[in-house]
């Protein structure tokens, strides 16, 4: 919609991306303060999040280059290669986990980081969602990740990059819809985390996976190809994300059930012991 450079050689896409990263870091600080986590642990998570974003962006570009290769047989990384969210999510998550446990091993000899890793995963839900939500507003400004052409009232005019036309095109603003969805998801999971609720990462994975799978049918930009002809790359990864979320939810429920049963058994054993006189 508006992809002109504003100041410091930055356009609105870059600005919204930066705002998203800062919002993510603010969420981490506020939520970890709320749980009264150690300062060293908070610093580990904050600095790790920054590295994960930087390395994740490399993963986003790499995945897009692979999608392009699947589509046209040419694998190259140039200025206009583009980036895909799922590539950034996978790459950033992998780097975060590696750095978290590697650095935590030296910082916390008592295993403090291991004890609270599940809390990190739950905190990731609102943090990723808020960063992604602002990022989608950046996509709206840049005109990328757009929807199909339409004449309906809900369409907006965009200057589509590389469409070869001199006029702006009216399309479905999928980026705006996704931004609203993600920011709402961020708000809901933030409040749930604040109230000490669990299973937030599986909820995010399942909910966003379902949204993205459906939203892809509204997209009209080049999505690349996959080994499954009737699914776009993002839809295929959405299926894997939903499956992973369901598996993670089942595992967490099973672990909590076993823990509760164990605590109940110990409590029963303690109550059955004869009282010494």
């Amino acid at each position: 919609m508006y992809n002109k450079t504003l100041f410091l050689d930055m356009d609105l896409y870059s600005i919204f991306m930066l705002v998203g990263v800062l919002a993510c870091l603010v969420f981490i600080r506020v939520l970890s303060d709320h749980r009264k986590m150690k300062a060293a642990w908070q610093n580990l998570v904050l600095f790790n999040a920054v590295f994960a974003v930087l390395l994740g962006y490399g993963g986003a570009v790499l995945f897009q280059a692979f999608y392009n290769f699947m589509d046209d047989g040419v694998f190259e990384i140039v200025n206009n290669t583009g980036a895909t969210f799922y590539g950034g999510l996978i790459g950033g998550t992998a780097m975060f986990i590696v750095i978290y446990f590697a650095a935590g091993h030296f910082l916390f000899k008592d295993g403090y980081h291991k004890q609270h890793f599940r809390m990190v995963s739950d905190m990731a839900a609102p943090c990723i969602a808020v960063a992604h939500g602002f990022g989608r507003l950046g996509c709206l400004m840049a005109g990328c990740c757009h929807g199909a052409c339409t004449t309906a009232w809900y369409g907006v005019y965009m200057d589509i990059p590389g469409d070869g036309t001199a006029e702006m095109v009216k399309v479905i603003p999928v980026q705006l819809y996704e931004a609203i969805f993600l920011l709402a998801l961020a708000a809901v999971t933030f409040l749930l985390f604040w109230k000490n609720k669990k299973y937030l990462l599986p909820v995010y994975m399942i909910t966003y996976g379902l949204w993205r799978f459906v939203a892809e049918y509204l997209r009209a930009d080049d999505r690349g190809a996959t080994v499954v002809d009737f699914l776009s790359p993002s839809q295929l990864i959405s299926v894997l994300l939903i499956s992973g979320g369901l598996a993670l939810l089942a595992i967490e429920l099973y672990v909590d059930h076993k823990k509760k049963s164990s605590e109940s058994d110990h409590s029963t054993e303690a109550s059955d012991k004869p009282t010494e006189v």
Side-chain angles (χ1 to χ4, degrees):
M1 291 181 67
Y2 190 87
N3 53 14
K4 305 294 188 297
T5 300
L6 298 178
F7 59 91
L8 298 179
D9 201 30
M10 296 179 67
D11 54 16
L12 283 175
Y13 174 82
S14 302
I15 292 172
F16 274 115
M17 292 288 287
L18 179 59
V19 170
V21 173
L22 293 176
C24 172
L25 298 179
V26 169
F27 269 29
I28 292 174
R29 175 62 74 182
V30 171
L31 292 174
S32 54
D33 275 344
H34 177 66
R35 293 289 181 92
K36 296 180 172 55
M37 303 303 297
K38 289 182 178 180
W41 183 90
Q42 293 188 38
N43 291 333
L44 168 63
V45 175
L46 282 169
F47 284 112
N48 197 0
V50 174
F51 284 121
V53 169
L54 296 176
L55 296 173
Y57 183 75
V61 175
L62 185 63
F63 266 63
Q64 186 60 54
F66 179 73
Y67 291 162
N68 296 342
F69 171 76
M70 292 290 290
D71 192 34
D72 56 23
V74 178
F75 184 89
E76 61 178 2
I77 297 178
V78 293
N79 290 336
N80 62 347
T81 295
T84 178
F85 167 73
Y86 274 139
L89 178 64
I90 295 171
T93 299
M95 290 299 100
F96 184 94
I97 293 174
V98 170
I99 295 173
Y100 181 85
F101 283 103
H105 175 74
F106 294 100
L107 292 174
F108 304 104
K109 300 300 183 181
D110 58 353
Y112 184 86
H113 63 300
K114 295 180 181 178
Q115 299 168 20
H116 297 285
F117 179 69
R118 184 169 170 182
M119 191 185 73
V120 177
S121 70
D122 281 333
M123 187 166 59
C127 294
I128 294 174
V130 73
H132 192 190
F134 281 109
R136 278 299 183 224
L137 290 177
C139 293
L140 180 67
M141 295 299 106
C144 61
C145 308
H146 58 85
C149 294
T150 183
T151 58
W153 61 269
Y154 50 78
V156 298
Y157 286 96
M158 293 186 189
D159 183 8
I160 306 300
D163 71 341
T165 63
E167 297 180 355
M168 300 184 77
V169 182
K170 192 174 185 181
V171 297
I172 301 173
V174 180
Q175 315 98 313
L176 177 60
Y177 301 155
E178 187 160 335
I180 294 171
F181 170 82
L182 284 165
L183 294 176
L185 181 59
V188 170
T189 50
F190 182 97
L191 292 174
L192 290 174
F193 187 92
W194 194 268
K195 294 180 179 180
N196 297 323
K197 302 299 182 181
K198 298 185 293 185
Y199 317 118
L200 300 185
L201 183 58
V203 167
Y204 164 80
M205 294 171 67
I206 296 168
T207 306
Y208 180 70
L210 289 170
W211 159 267
R212 185 60 181 270
F213 186 91
V214 175
E216 283 292 298
Y217 288 113
L218 302 176
R219 296 278 289 269
D221 55 331
D222 184 15
R223 309 305 302 132
T226 67
V227 292
V228 183
D229 293 337
F230 57 88
L231 295 178
S232 72
S234 292
Q235 285 180 319
L236 182 58
I237 298 178
S238 291
V239 172
L240 298 178
L241 188 68
I242 295 167
S243 302
L246 290 171
L248 181 58
L249 179 60
I251 292 171
E252 291 189 355
L253 287 171
Y254 175 77
V255 169
D256 286 347
H257 175 72
K258 292 289 290 183
K259 182 179 179 180
K260 187 175 180 179
S261 297
S262 177
E263 291 174 350
S264 177
D265 290 342
H266 286 309
S267 177
T268 302
E269 291 175 2
S271 64
D272 288 343
K273 289 182 179 180
T275 305
E276 296 183 3
V277 180

